[in-house]
Amino acid sequence: LSYVVLKTKRLKLQEHYLGLIGSHTQANTDISITSRTVFLQGELWKAQTKEDIHIPKGNWVTVIEVRGLILIVQEKEKTT
């Protein structure tokens, strides 16, 4: 029974993390391929870029992937 409970909790966490994909937030620090931070849904997250690019602090980013507890982000496309 405890195995089923743990498995269910793990699946719910995975669903929560996958629900972050597509979310937009501002960078709390400069972000690059090395981890930095963003504030999303009331929590401070480690974030990094997928490629070797630099996103300045304050720029808007989009979550494109979740690796464990690290959000992979890219700079949000500007709309005109």
Side-chain angles (χ1 to χ4, degrees), residues 27-66:
N28 284 16
T29 60
D30 291 348
I31 301 174
S32 63
I33 204 157
T34 58
S35 266
R36 294 299 187 252
T37 61
V38 295
F39 191 74
L40 182 63
Q41 295 184 357
E43 299 178 28
L44 198 58
W45 291 85
K46 286 186 179 180
Q48 68 185 51
T49 58
K50 193 170 193 167
E51 300 165 2
D52 191 17
I53 60 170
H54 175 77
I55 301 173
K57 176 182 178 178
N59 282 21
W60 284 89
V61 296
T62 302
V63 178
I64 58 170
E65 188 179 330
V66 180

Side-chain angles (χ1 to χ4, degrees), residues 15-26 38-45 63 71:
E15 289 173 6
H16 171 71
Y17 295 150
L18 292 177
L20 297 174
I21 295 173
S23 297
H24 306 290
T25 188
Q26 281 185 300
V38 295
F39 191 74
L40 182 63
Q41 295 184 357
E43 299 178 28
L44 198 58
W45 291 85
V63 178
L71 304 179

